[in-house]
Amino acid sequence: MIDRGAFGRFAEPARLVLAALREGPSQGVSLLDAVRAADGPVGPGTLYAAIARLEQLGLIEGRAGTDGRTAYRLTNHSAGTSAAPGGAC
Amino acid sequence: MRALVRLYPRRWRDRYESEILALLDERPMSIADGIDLVRGALDAHLHPQVPGRARTAQPLTHRIPGLVALTAGLLWTWNLAYLALRADLAGDWGSLAGIAFVLMLLSLPGDYMAAGHGRRVAIGLGVIAACFVGIAAIPALPIKVVLAAIGYPLIFGGMLGLAAVRAGIGSRGRWRLIGLAIALPVMIGIPVAIGVTATSPSIRLLYALIIPYGLAWLLIGLRMAIRGAPTIIDPPAGIVEPEVQPA
């Protein structure tokens, strides 16, 4: 479960990032597109605030790909985290 | 838009700057996105969330030097703006600005002075101040000329530089700050100051030229208050909180 206390106003973008990553590893641009498609005009500041919190909690991890760009993926810790609409927080 | 990323803390930029710059290159950004970046930068300062690092909680006493510097900047800016705008120029110079100067001095001592570089800077500033006082004590020299030509750039620039060190501003940022708040106003002010008398309207311009110095302290004070600045009596390191465990 995503703890709203830890995420504040970034809880919803964080939930959408988790949902997008369930489809597979993604880079920041793809995540921004996915979050915007689901939640409207989310900015880069909000997206990376959510990503930083998810990484801090160990729910996702970023790894540099062969093109030198970071792709994010879910960790084992995020297995029990609900990313279904309405299921977070 | 890319310049807004520089508002983020250095540790955050070390981790995410290249990614977010690549994102800005690939997606057209609106003004709302710019505002979102500014909000994100503020959040990153208030709630550091860089993975792999222990979060450092600053005790309240670490905020005090920043708040003192912030107050000094406010007093200085307000006083100089008042002097630059008011009709009657007689007698008020040095009232609030003097208090601001003392507050600026009080905000400077920190644990960094115990280290080699900080100690050398502090000693150097003291030597410069002693030289300035010695030169100013020579009766044949007009004190105002000495103050304007030597004292202001060196003493006030030195204080600003020390405060910038204390606020964690990098070398390039420090020189830019000193250039904008000290060097540029002095270069403009010297021609104005030549032949200026206490009743000349040009004195208002001189007062106005010193306003950026107060604004620079406002900026530094805000940064020090947010980041925390250990004082001499505090332990040099903050309280390290344990890593947050995964849910």
Side-chain angles (χ1 to χ4, degrees), chain A residues 1 9-10 28-29 32-33 36 42-49 51-53 55-57 62 69-70 72 77, chain B residues 8 12 15-16 19-20 22-24 26-27 29 33 36-37 39 43 47 49-51 53 243-244 246-247:
Chain A
M1 298 284 281
R9 68 184 180 90
F10 305 108
V29 177
L32 182 68
D33 292 340
R36 280 181 170 173
V42 171
T46 297
L47 174 70
Y48 273 88
I51 287 176
R53 282 165 169 77
E55 273 204 289
Q56 176 76 15
L57 291 174
R69 303 181 68 170
T70 302
Y72 292 94
H77 296 302
Chain B
Y8 279 86
W12 191 98
R15 172 66 183 83
Y16 296 111
E19 287 182 48
I20 208 162
L23 190 149
L24 294 178
E26 292 193 24
R27 292 290 180 273
M29 294 292 163
D33 291 326
D36 185 70
L37 274 177
R39 291 178 68 193
D43 170 75
H47 308 289
Q49 302 281 347
V50 180
R53 305 279 187 96
E243 288 276 316
V244 177

Side-chain angles (χ1 to χ4, degrees), chain B residues 137-154:
Chain B
I138 300 173
L141 290 175
I143 184 67
K144 284 184 179 177
V145 172
V146 174
L147 182 68
I150 303 174
Y152 187 70
L154 288 184

Side-chain angles (χ1 to χ4, degrees), chain B residues 79-106:
Chain B
N79 191 203
L80 271 297
Y82 174 75
L83 289 172
L85 294 174
R86 62 171 289 185
D88 177 18
L89 289 170
D92 274 339
W93 164 250
S95 53
L96 289 179
I99 297 171
F101 181 78
V102 172
L103 290 177
M104 289 169 187
L105 280 176
L106 289 176

Side-chain angles (χ1 to χ4, degrees), chain B residues 52-71:
Chain B
R53 305 279 187 96
R55 284 194 296 162
T56 301
Q58 297 288 345
L60 181 62
T61 50
H62 288 197
R63 313 280 186 197
I64 292 174
L67 295 175
V68 170
L70 192 63
T71 306

Side-chain angles (χ1 to χ4, degrees), chain B residues 66-224:
Chain B
L67 295 175
V68 170
L70 192 63
T71 306
L74 277 172
L75 284 177
W76 183 279
T77 303
W78 185 88
N79 191 203
L80 271 297
Y82 174 75
L83 289 172
L85 294 174
R86 62 171 289 185
D88 177 18
L89 289 170
D92 274 339
W93 164 250
S95 53
L96 289 179
I99 297 171
F101 181 78
V102 172
L103 290 177
M104 289 169 187
L105 280 176
L106 289 176
S107 73
L108 290 179
D111 67 341
Y112 70 100
M113 283 184 174
H117 179 68
R119 189 167 52 210
R120 283 196 296 273
V121 172
I123 291 172
L125 187 60
V127 169
I128 291 170
C131 292
F132 166 67
V133 171
I135 293 170
I138 300 173
L141 290 175
I143 184 67
K144 284 184 179 177
V145 172
V146 174
L147 182 68
I150 303 174
Y152 187 70
L154 288 184
I155 302 297
F156 286 64
M159 287 170 56
L160 191 67
L162 272 181
V165 169
R166 202 138 155 57
I169 296 174
S171 173
R172 185 184 296 177
R174 285 201 300 273
W175 284 113
R176 282 181 183 168
L177 206 58
I178 290 172
L180 288 174
I182 298 283
L184 188 61
V186 165
M187 281 192 291
I188 299 172
I190 285 177
V192 177
I194 295 173
V196 149
T197 66
T199 55
S200 166
S202 298
I203 199 75
R204 294 181 206 279
L205 178 57
L206 290 178
Y207 286 141
L209 286 172
I210 308 174
I211 291 175
Y213 189 70
L215 295 175
W217 276 89
L218 270 174
L219 178 73
I220 286 175
L222 190 62
R223 191 174 160 98
M224 281 169 67

Side-chain angles (χ1 to χ4, degrees), chain A residues 17-18 21 51 54-55 58-62 72-75 78:
Chain A
V17 167
L18 287 178
L21 292 180
I51 287 176
L54 289 168
E55 273 204 289
L59 296 175
I60 66 173
E61 61 181 359
Y72 292 94
R73 67 179 66 207
L74 297 177
T75 65
S78 60

